[in-house]
Every structure is written in structure tokens, then in C-alpha cells.
């Protein structure tokens, strides 16, 4: 049944995906740090692993999907010594850190719901798992892979390197890692080695978020929350760990080291945490890395409303989702007005075809079989599955959609004549097309995006209006029929009279 291959960053190759305990599948994704609105960089991992979640579910797996909320702020910069971003924001806005965390968790949910990203099975908060983090640090200490200095606990990378070899995931050795740190040694004097990282930090008086621990009143280090929460909900070893490429080092490397060091015991399989490590590539904007300091950090709400100096128009969440899916998740994506506008048009071609497909009836019609068209529709699912089975290649899957769009349009144009495919193929294909569009790619039509219930209502109202207009035309009451047409044009709704009745299109 499952014939899926995924690219595993840990082994640097595509591997057959074999869950540890099928049909159960455990997946962990590093979630957002909630101290600001989500931007484009948050959209890609969320959408990428939404696809993984949806496709595995489609394939019959029972997926437990854990995506955390980091609400004890990641420290600024890669070193452990920067200021807590959440605390910084809380102090600037004179709010409780938890008010900041709640506000931006809600904001993140709003943005992701708009992108039709499914909520995970469990969304644990770092601050809700301090005892689990402390327990894990205690085990790492007991196993001899950490040391205490002035109330802080640091991970001993030298010791770890001797036993396991540090840098498996990123493919760097300890020397290379240290050379990267040479310029940034200030404030690291407490550590024995520049590559060591904090598991627990003693807090000073000014620190807002702190907890008591066996070592000091303080707060957990950057990486330990993900190891602790994934272990709690998915076990010491689970199937998939996901994230953006930028998390491979140091975050995921540190996670693996922590888990290995914590669970180290005779007979222990040293590949820590996940069997498959999947990473999505980055998004650039007009060819540049996105950064607030460059003035091109666009958040998702600005994209949805078009309110940003770099944006020529608003882009719907579905346009953004579709554009991201038009590339394979391991390729880079460049956002620009031109590329988003063409994605908008391309998505409309598919949604228009979807609407037409729903109007083509197969029953009680003469069939004049066109073998090419029949074959094209019949092999759609098999092809789409084979692309998805090849490391979730949504780019090729979408390209396959564009091979059936002209067939649908042809069938629609000929809908009063004989049917060019068998009624059975048409029915089967319609189901498969919708399954891939809605359930697997997680796309929606414009009407669906406007809200599920109003969709049906709009269609119903339009049926009423168009039938009043057709009756008026039959009665040669052009005053009424022209009034309806002109008023609808003002709302960008165009009517088209065809032998089958009146159609309406929202421009
Ligand atoms: Zn993480």
C-alpha cells in the first residue's frame, strides 16, 4: 500500500518511508516563536508538513502530528546569550509575556487557518512543559553529557563527540562548527567549549519568565523544549521530524544530541529522536533573503490585504498556498508580484475547470469515445500518486492538473453533444480530481474561501436572480433583465447566456 520515498537529511538520500509502528505515524514540526505576526517564512514549513500530514492520512496512516508553540522566547541570535525576544517585546509593550504569547498564538492560528493548514493533533507549549525539560536535563547530567556552572547547565559537546560524533545531521565536524563561532566568543566564557550550548540558564533579577530548578531559578535553553515535548508525545524514537533548512544547525543537531545523551544506555540505537528528518527550503523575496532589517519582511496579513509598499495588490491565502505548492518543498522559492500574479491566474484555471467539471453530466448520454481523453482522465490518480510518492512532489502533481484542465474544458464545451469519455471514467475522475485538489493539496475555490456556508447561499441566491432574469427576458421585460445585468456588472459579476441557461462568473 504505502510506496512513499522521502529525502532524509540525516542520511542525505531518498529512502523508502517505513513507519516504526504502522499504521501509526508520529510527526513533530518545530512551531513558531510567538512574539510577532507570522511572515512568509512561517508559511512554508506549515504548508509543507500540512501536505505530509494530509498525504499520509490519505494513504491510510494514523498520524499523530505534534507542532509546538515556543512561548519562552528563543534567544536572539544563535548564541545562548542574547535577550529573550518575547521578554523584550513584553517589556517594550508593558505587557505580561503570556499576553504577548497568547496574542501571537491567536494571530498565527488565524493566518494558518486562512492558508487552510490543518491544526496539529497536539500543540504543546514550551512553558507548559518545564518539568519535562528539567527531567530530561537531569538525565543528560546523570549520563555525564552536561555540566553545571554558576547555576546554569551546559551540554558537553566534546564528551558527546567522543561517544556519538557531533554533527551527524548537518554533516559538520566539531572543528568546522567551532570555526564558525570564532568571531562571536563574547559572553561565552562560562562554557568549557564554544560549541557547548545551554540546557538551563540561571536568570538574573530583570528576567520576567523564570522557574525554579535543582540548579537555579532560571529558564530552559533554546533546544531542550523540542526534545522534551517530542519524547513526551511521540516517544524516544518516532517517524518524522520536520522544519526549515535554517533549523538543521544548531537547533536540530542539538535536539539529536540531547535525545541521544538522555537515552544513552546499553543497546541504545544512537540515531536520536526521528527516523526521518525532513527539511523544506527557504523563501526569498525579489531574489533577496527576507529580513526586517532589509525592510522586506512581509507578514502574511500584509499579503492578504496588499498593505505593504512592496506589494502591488492583495494576494489571497489560496494564491500563496498554491504558489508555494507549485515548487517542490526542497527547492527555493522566490516571491515577487509577477510570480504571485501568475500563480493567481494558474489557480483560477484549475478552479474554473473544477466548477465546469461539476456541471458535466455523464448519465444517459451518447458516448463517442476519444481514447486520448479517456486515458488522460483514467491515469490521473495513478500519476498524481506516483508524484506524491516521490518525496511529496506537489510541483509535478500540479503540472498533472494542467494536463487534465483542457480535457475538462473540452468536455464542458461539448456538454450538449455526445460524451467523449465513458460516464464511469468521468464519475471516477471527478472524485479523484476533487480529492487531490481539496483533501491532499488542501486548496479551496474562491467561494469556499469566503466561508463554507455562504458558498451555498451565494450559489442559491444567484440561481434565484438568474432565473428571474431569464423569465423577464422570455416576457420581453428588458427593463428588469437589463437592470439585473447592470447591477451585477457593478459587483464584477458577468452573466453569459448559453443554450443550457445563464451562467455567472465573478471577474
Ligand atoms: Zn524545535
Amino acid at each position: 500500500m504505502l510506496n512513499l520515498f522521502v529525502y532524509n537529511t540525516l542520511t542525505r538520500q531518498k529512502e523508502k518511508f517505513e513507519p516504526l509502528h504502522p499504521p501509526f505515524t508520529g510527526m513533530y514540526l518545530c512551531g513558531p516563536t510567538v512574539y510577532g505576526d507570522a511572515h512568509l517564512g512561517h508559511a512554508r514549513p506549515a504548508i509543507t508538513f500540512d501536505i505530509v500530514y494530509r498525504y499520509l492520512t490519505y494513504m491510510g496512516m494514523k498520524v499523530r502530528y505534534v507542532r509546538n508553540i515556543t512561548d519562552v522566547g528563543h534567544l536572539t541570535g544563535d548564541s545562548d546569550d542574547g535577550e529573550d525576544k518575547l521578554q523584550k517585546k513584553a517589556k517594550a509593550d508593558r505587557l505580561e509575556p503570556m499576553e504577548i504569547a497568547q496574542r501571537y498564538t491567536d494571530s498565527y492560528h488565524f493566518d494558518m487557518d486562512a492558508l487552510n493548514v490543518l491544526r496539529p493533533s497536539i500543540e504543546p507549549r514550551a512553558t507548559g512543559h518545564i518539568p519535562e525539560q528539567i527531567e530530561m536535563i537531569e538525565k543528560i547530567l546523570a549520563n555525564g553529557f552536561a555540566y553545571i556552572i554558576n547555576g546554569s547547565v551546559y551540554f558537553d559537546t566534546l564528551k558527546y563527540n567522543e561517544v556519538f560524533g557531533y554533527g551527524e545531521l548537518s554533516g559538520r565536524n566539531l572543528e568546522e562548527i567551532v570555526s564558525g563561532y570564532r568571531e562571536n566568543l563574547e559572553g561565552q566564557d562560562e562554557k568549557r567549549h564554544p560549541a557547548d550550548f545551554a540546557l538551563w540558564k540561571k536568570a538574573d533579577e530583570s528576567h520576567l519568565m523564570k522557574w525554579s530548578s535543582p540548579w537555579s531559578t532560571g529558564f530552559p535553553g533554546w533546544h531542550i523544549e523540542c526534545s522534551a515535548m517530542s519524547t513526551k508525545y511521540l516517544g524516544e524514537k518516532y517517524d518524522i521530524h520536520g522544519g526549515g533548512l535554517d533549523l538543521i544547525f544548531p537547533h536540530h543537531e542539538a535536539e539529536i544530541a540531547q535525545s541521544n545523551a538522555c537515552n544513552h544506555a546499553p543497546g541504545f540505537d544512537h540515531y536520536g529522536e526521528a527516523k526521518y528528518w525532513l527539511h523544506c527550503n527557504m523563501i526569498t523575496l525579489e531574489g533577496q533573503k527576507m529580513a526586517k532589517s532589509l525592510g522586506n519582511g512581509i507578514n502574511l496579513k500584509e499579503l492578504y490585504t496588499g498593505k505593504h509598499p512592496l506589494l502591488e495588490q492583495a494576494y489571497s491565502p489560496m494564491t500563496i498556498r498554491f504558489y508555494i505548492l507549485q515548487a517542490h518543498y526542497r527547492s527555493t522559492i522566490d516571491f515577487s508580484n509577477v510570480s504571485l500574479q501568475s500563480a493567481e491566474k494558474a489557480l483560477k484555471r484549475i478552479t474554473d475547470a473544477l466548477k465546469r467539471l461539476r456541471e458535466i453530466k455523464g448519465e444517459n448520454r451518447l458516448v463517442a469515445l476519444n481514447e486520448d481523453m479517456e486515458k488522460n482522465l483514467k491515469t490521473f490518480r495513478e500519476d498524481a500518486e506516483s508524484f506524491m510518492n516521490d518525496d511529496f512532489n506537489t510541483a509535478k502533481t500540479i503540472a498533472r492538473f494542467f494536463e487534465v484542465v483542457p480535457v475538462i474544458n473540452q468536455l464542458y464545451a461539448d456538454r450538449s453533444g455526445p460524451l467523449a469519455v465513458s460516464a464511469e471514467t468521468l464519475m471516477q475522475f471527478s472524485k479523484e480530481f476533487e480529492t487531490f485538489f481539496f483533501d491532499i493539496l488542501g486548496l479551496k475555490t474562491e467561494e469556499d474561501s469566503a466561508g463554507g456556508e455562504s458558498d451555498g447561499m451565494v450559489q442559491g441566491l444567484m440561481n434565484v436572480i438568474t432565473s428571474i432574469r431569464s423569465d423577464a427576458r422570455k416576457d420581453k421585460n428588458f427593463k428588469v433583465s437589463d437592470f439585473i445585468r447592470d447591477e451585477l456588472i457593478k459587483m464584477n459579476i458577468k452573466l453569459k447566456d448559453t443554450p443550457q441557461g445563464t451562467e455567472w462568473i465573478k471577474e
Side-chain angles (χ1 to χ4, degrees):
M1 46 191 277
L2 199 60
N3 190 29
L4 172 66
F5 286 77
V6 299
Y7 183 86
N8 189 354
T9 308
L10 194 60
T11 56
R12 289 163 193 81
Q13 61 189 3
K14 264 187 212 169
E15 290 176 10
K16 191 166 190 333
F17 179 71
E18 282 164 334
L20 295 162
H21 310 287
F24 301 99
T25 306
M27 175 162 86
Y28 188 91
L29 174 67
C30 294
T33 304
V34 282
Y35 71 101
D37 284 317
H39 52 75
L40 267 177
H42 293 101
R44 195 167 196 193
I47 290 174
T48 298
F49 292 93
D50 184 51
I51 292 291
V52 174
Y53 183 30
R54 287 168 178 273
Y55 190 64
L56 286 172
T57 304
Y58 165 78
M59 280 294 171
M61 298 297 111
K62 299 198 182 315
V63 186
R64 182 181 293 166
Y65 175 22
V66 182
R67 188 186 68 200
N68 70 304
I69 295 281
T70 297
D71 57 356
V72 48
H74 273 196
L75 302 156
T76 47
D78 274 359
S79 82
D80 304 314
D81 306 293
E83 197 178 356
D84 184 310
K85 288 171 183 169
L86 233 136
Q87 168 163 312
K88 194 173 167 186
K89 178 99 181 157
K91 280 186 176 168
D93 296 356
R94 293 174 163 256
L95 295 169
E96 275 291 321
M98 273 300 158
E99 280 183 279
I100 304 282
Q102 189 63 54
R103 177 191 295 175
Y104 291 110
T105 302
D106 293 346
S107 165
Y108 180 78
H109 285 155
F110 174 88
D111 291 339
M112 294 304 139
D113 290 349
L115 289 169
N116 206 21
V117 167
L118 298 174
R119 299 270 178 111
S121 333
I122 304 175
E123 195 170 46
R125 288 168 169 266
T127 54
H129 297 77
I130 301 293
E132 287 84 352
Q133 297 179 61
I134 290 175
E135 198 183 315
M136 194 161 197
I137 297 168
E138 282 179 322
K139 282 187 193 160
I140 296 171
L141 274 165
N143 285 342
F145 292 100
Y147 53 91
I148 308 163
I149 290 182
N150 299 327
S152 293
V153 185
Y154 292 98
F155 191 86
D156 188 342
T157 45
L158 271 186
K159 172 74 187 295
Y160 180 85
N161 194 44
E162 281 167 25
V163 180
F164 295 102
Y166 188 59
E168 283 169 296
L169 184 69
S170 58
R172 303 187 211 184
N173 63 39
L174 207 53
E175 270 169 41
E176 288 167 324
I177 289 167
V178 172
S179 70
Y181 282 150
R182 281 271 150 75
E183 300 137 25
N184 187 17
L185 287 178
E186 83 281 1
Q188 300 195 346
D189 24 280
E190 266 190 4
K191 298 182 201 173
R192 288 187 196 153
H193 190 274
D196 294 354
F197 51 88
L199 297 171
W200 188 266
K201 287 284 276 185
K202 184 181 174 178
D204 58 33
E205 284 299 307
S206 68
H207 218 90
L208 298 177
M209 296 171 99
K210 50 194 169 192
W211 294 265
S212 51
S213 78
W215 317 289
S216 63
T217 297
F219 54 93
W222 177 12
H223 316 296
I224 194 75
E225 65 175 89
C226 288
S227 294
M229 292 189 286
S230 63
T231 306
K232 176 167 174 127
Y233 297 111
L234 299 170
E236 282 174 15
K237 186 148 185 177
Y238 54 92
D239 301 299
I240 298 173
H241 192 309
L245 276 181
D246 54 334
L247 291 183
I248 293 177
F249 191 88
H251 185 53
H252 290 167
E253 196 75 82
E255 270 190 52
I256 289 180
Q258 289 165 162
S259 294
N260 282 334
C262 172
N263 300 320
H264 185 47
F268 170 66
D269 172 4
H270 90 284
Y271 274 121
E273 279 198 27
K275 188 174 176 190
Y276 306 95
W277 287 78
L278 273 55
H279 292 95
C280 60
N281 214 317
M282 314 307 286
I283 289 179
T284 54
L285 194 70
E286 309 271 6
Q288 268 196 312
K289 189 178 181 270
M290 267 184 302
K292 274 194 180 140
S293 57
L294 295 170
N296 69 353
I298 299 185
N299 73 43
L300 291 167
K301 288 184 185 71
E302 288 167 336
L303 274 159
Y304 300 165
T305 56
K307 283 179 188 148
H308 189 283
L310 291 175
L311 298 175
E312 289 168 12
Q313 62 169 90
Y315 297 101
S316 77
M318 277 311 108
T319 298
I320 296 163
R321 184 178 177 104
F322 182 75
Y323 182 57
I324 287 176
L325 295 180
Q326 270 188 306
H328 183 248
Y329 74 90
R330 289 194 291 118
S331 323
T332 53
I333 297 185
D334 188 46
F335 264 62
S336 65
N337 283 291
V338 175
S339 58
L340 280 168
Q341 283 154 9
S342 68
E344 191 176 38
K345 286 195 194 103
L347 177 59
K348 192 170 181 303
R349 278 182 64 209
I350 298 179
T351 53
D352 284 350
L354 178 72
K355 280 183 228 163
R356 288 179 192 133
L357 183 60
R358 286 172 173 176
E359 286 179 39
I360 305 166
K361 303 282 173 255
E363 311 88 64
N364 307 321
R365 280 179 64 185
L366 267 175
V367 173
L369 204 68
N370 176 317
E371 284 189 12
D372 286 344
M373 285 163 80
E374 171 89 3
K375 191 172 166 221
N376 198 332
L377 300 193
K378 248 187 155 165
T379 52
F380 173 78
R381 179 180 61 89
E382 197 186 318
D383 288 350
E385 278 182 8
S386 75
F387 298 139
M388 291 301 285
N389 281 336
D390 183 13
D391 198 23
F392 309 101
N393 199 325
T394 52
K396 284 190 177 165
T397 304
I398 287 174
R400 187 66 178 83
F401 270 83
F402 286 112
E403 289 176 17
V404 290
V405 164
V407 178
I408 296 170
N409 290 344
Q410 189 61 49
L411 291 173
Y412 180 78
D414 300 340
R415 67 195 180 285
S416 357
L419 186 61
V421 297
S422 73
E424 196 199 342
T425 297
L426 178 68
M427 195 179 70
Q428 190 60 28
F429 167 75
S430 299
K431 266 193 239 158
E432 292 164 357
F433 186 86
E434 297 215 1
T435 299
F436 267 87
F437 184 85
F438 292 109
D439 303 340
I440 297 173
L441 296 181
L443 293 164
K444 288 183 186 177
T445 61
E446 222 177 283
E447 290 79 14
D448 293 333
S449 307
E453 279 175 43
S454 64
D455 174 29
M457 199 169 80
V458 169
Q459 185 61 51
L461 283 171
M462 285 308 296
N463 289 346
V464 171
I465 292 168
T466 51
S467 66
I468 291 173
R469 184 170 166 273
S470 331
D471 287 348
R473 271 162 57 92
K474 268 185 220 147
D475 299 343
K476 301 207 187 309
N477 185 345
F478 295 114
K479 202 179 154 201
V480 168
S481 66
D482 289 354
F483 172 77
I484 291 175
R485 187 198 58 203
D486 296 344
E487 287 301 307
L488 289 175
I489 283 172
K490 285 183 198 162
M491 294 187 279
N492 291 327
I493 296 171
K494 232 182 177 174
L495 296 180
K496 209 169 121 195
D497 296 304
T498 72
Q500 286 78 28
T502 307
E503 287 171 21
W504 62 279
I505 310 162
K506 179 125 174 64
E507 300 272 86

